Amino acid sequence: MEFRYAEEQPQDEYAAELAENLHFYSEEHIIYGEYAFEQWDPKLIENILSFFSPKNMRIDLLSKSFNKESSDNLLEPWFGSSYLEEDIPPSILEHWEDPPQINSSLHLPLKNEYIPREFFLRNANMSPNSTNANYPKCIIDNPLIKLWYKIDLTFNVPRANAYFLITVKDGYNNLRNCLLTELFVNLLKDELNEIIYQAGVAKLETSLAIIGDKLELKIFGFNDKLSNLLSNILSISRSFIPKIDRFKVIKEDMERTLKNTNLKPLTYSSYLRLQVLREKLWDANEKLTYLANLSLSDLEEFIPILLSQIHVEGLCHGNLSDKEVANISDIFSNTFSVQPLSLNLRHQDRVVCLPLRASLIRSMPVKNEVELNSLVELYFQIEQDNGLKATRLRAVTDLFSNIVEEPCFDQLRSKEQLGYVVDCGPRMTYRVLGFCFRVQSSKYNPCYLRERIDNFIGGLNDLLERLDDESFENHKNGLIAEKMEKDPSLLYETGHHWTQIVDKRYQFDMPNLEAEELKTISKSEVINWYRTYLTPSSPKCRRLSVHIWGCNSNLNEEGGTQEKFGTIIEDVHAFKSSSEFYPSLC
């Protein structure tokens, strides 16, 4: 089934996959080998199962209550970890070989209800050139649910992707609610493990994540049992009661995750940038402190409030009929018979509008005390992605990026050898367009890195002026071809449409529109973009620089020289309380 309806994938990934298969299969089987289970051999199965016995078993026990001072301890040679080896007492082995009773939890899996049985295509009577099916259409829009739908006319596989943003009540209002919402989602994922696993075996995958006060639920794979899985997931979500033992485990896991947050400079710099730009971004350290005091009873009291009002926006794309999509809407309505969450009660993400000519700095030491790398991330805020000129501005920004990314890498990494990580490119933060330069280095401190980045940016005017017409057209044509490139699979196409829905832009033909704009963009327009947004003397040049100091650089001694680059933000909360914000678009 999986082989017969395999989806296309990018050619480079497919080539790498086949190259790996050459290690395991003969040449004639490298494509089909990993799918094939053609021979039924009961004797071989019995032989393998015969090894599953207590006498042929090893148990690994990991515990915090380990006596590291015991003379019986052994030392693992690579990392110096202590461990202990013990034989299982013969009396226990005999008891396990012939137990008086078997725990009812030990049983073979139940029948898998998610294995698809029918594979007929819903588009059989539709023309591939049907103009009504080029882009998703909103077919259901009521106070509770808004559903977009697109039947597949391109890939012709019995697959479908159903993505949903479920906005809950007061899920991100304050730090406490944010943590309780995360606890709820993580416990829900834990509760759903069994059915999600069973569906995954049948090639019907599930993803559940949290974005602010929204639960992002994705179900994708063979479409036959998609509605069944959605119905089961929503029913459990509506009725499940967290258990104390799992609460403790999930809470401990969250604490461990928060402690390990931002240990890498690359992720830490992005976090610090967003902490300045976003109106609300709860601090990881504050979350860790507050989480310690939350109890199961707190969560039990919060869940009914969280689910008392919701709003759902979704996309159903692939081998589904409009009637099946209507049924999916009914599943939500019947499962969550609650009041719709009105627009004014939904969390609105707003982004700081940096002041004209701003040059701001957020400077922090690495979180990992043995991390050698320092990093500078220099962010230029452009404009809000809204209005008639937004498409052209995105196109010019992408073209500028296409022109400068190779010279940036060549100069800062290859020639100056500042560090291994050197990149630049656009950033979209809740529909606010920006542009970033990043350099990570184990040899140089942030002040030196910032100087070299500024020096490179200062020379871009000459680079653009010297760019001949042929090279400029090559950059344009290459970017146009990239934007017009067809999606290799249903999953890729769904992802592009979903981004438009999450961003509430609903510009499903955005690549085509940007490609059309690119055809008429001149070199002088790109130079003007650079002079307007990246030249320090321009009133519209607004910079936010994040400096991460590695353990081999000294922030206290060397950090004082940072002030020549701009104003250091000492208190993020105070900065945002006195800032202006763009109106929320998503």
Side-chain angles (χ1 to χ4, degrees), residues 142-170:
N142 59 51
L144 181 72
I145 186 165
K146 182 176 185 177
L147 267 187
W148 297 82
Y149 166 61
K150 181 181 184 296
I151 192 168
D152 172 53
L153 298 175
T154 305
F155 301 102
N156 296 314
V157 287
R159 299 175 182 271
N161 306 320
Y163 295 178
F164 307 97
L165 272 181
I166 306 169
T167 307
V168 290
K169 186 180 180 183
D170 297 340

Side-chain angles (χ1 to χ4, degrees), residues 83-101:
Y83 70 99
L84 188 65
E85 286 186 356
E86 292 180 350
D87 290 331
I88 301 172
S91 59
I92 292 180
L93 286 175
E94 290 172 9
H95 180 73
W96 287 345
E97 285 280 2
D98 187 22
Q101 63 181 27

Side-chain angles (χ1 to χ4, degrees), residues 143-354:
L144 181 72
I145 186 165
K146 182 176 185 177
L147 267 187
W148 297 82
Y149 166 61
K150 181 181 184 296
I151 192 168
D152 172 53
L153 298 175
T154 305
F155 301 102
N156 296 314
V157 287
R159 299 175 182 271
N161 306 320
Y163 295 178
F164 307 97
L165 272 181
I166 306 169
T167 307
V168 290
K169 186 180 180 183
D170 297 340
Y172 204 74
N173 281 14
N174 51 53
L175 180 58
R176 182 178 188 272
N177 286 13
C178 172
L179 285 166
L180 288 171
T181 304
E182 288 183 28
L183 275 167
F184 168 74
V185 172
N186 289 329
L187 278 160
L188 177 59
K189 287 164 71 174
D190 184 69
E191 183 77 8
L192 292 169
N193 264 342
E194 188 172 345
I195 67 168
I196 286 175
Y197 171 77
Q198 287 284 71
V201 169
K203 305 304 171 186
L204 186 57
E205 308 290 347
T206 305
S207 164
L208 182 60
I210 184 166
I211 307 170
D213 64 339
K214 301 175 182 69
L215 281 61
E216 184 182 62
L217 172 63
K218 296 180 177 180
I219 303 177
F220 49 99
F222 289 101
N223 59 273
D224 184 27
K225 301 298 171 61
L226 189 149
S227 295
N228 304 46
L229 177 59
L230 175 65
S231 181
N232 290 340
I233 288 174
L234 295 184
S235 295
I236 292 172
S237 306
R238 187 77 181 100
S239 61
F240 105 100
I241 300 172
K243 303 176 182 67
I244 184 63
D245 58 334
R246 300 311 299 162
F247 176 83
K248 289 178 179 178
V249 170
I250 297 301
K251 182 181 174 182
E252 184 179 319
D253 187 56
M254 281 179 61
E255 288 172 340
R256 186 163 49 249
T257 300
L258 286 167
K259 285 176 184 176
N260 293 330
T261 297
N262 298 324
L263 290 182
K264 294 182 179 180
L266 283 169
T267 55
Y268 194 26
S269 68
S270 296
Y271 170 83
L272 291 173
R273 169 170 53 85
L274 291 172
Q275 193 179 50
V276 173
L277 294 175
R278 287 179 56 182
E279 183 178 22
K280 281 186 182 178
L281 181 64
W282 303 116
D283 182 75
N285 294 328
E286 292 177 4
K287 288 170 74 173
L288 182 61
T289 303
Y290 203 105
L291 180 61
N293 300 316
L294 291 177
S295 65
L296 178 60
S297 59
D298 293 326
L299 182 60
E300 288 173 335
E301 291 173 10
F302 180 69
I303 291 175
I305 299 169
L306 188 74
L307 300 179
S308 63
Q309 290 179 268
I310 68 166
H311 179 266
V312 182
E313 184 163 12
L315 168 66
C316 295
H317 177 213
N319 195 42
L320 293 168
S321 68
D322 51 0
K323 290 182 180 178
E324 288 170 315
V325 175
N327 178 53
I328 285 172
S329 175
D330 291 340
I331 291 172
F332 274 99
S333 302
N334 295 334
T335 306
F336 290 96
S337 53
V338 297
Q339 288 293 314
L341 187 66
S342 59
L343 183 61
N344 63 307
L345 293 178
R346 300 174 211 165
H347 170 63
Q348 302 288 308
D349 272 298
R350 295 200 303 167
V351 175
V352 166
C353 179
L354 297 179

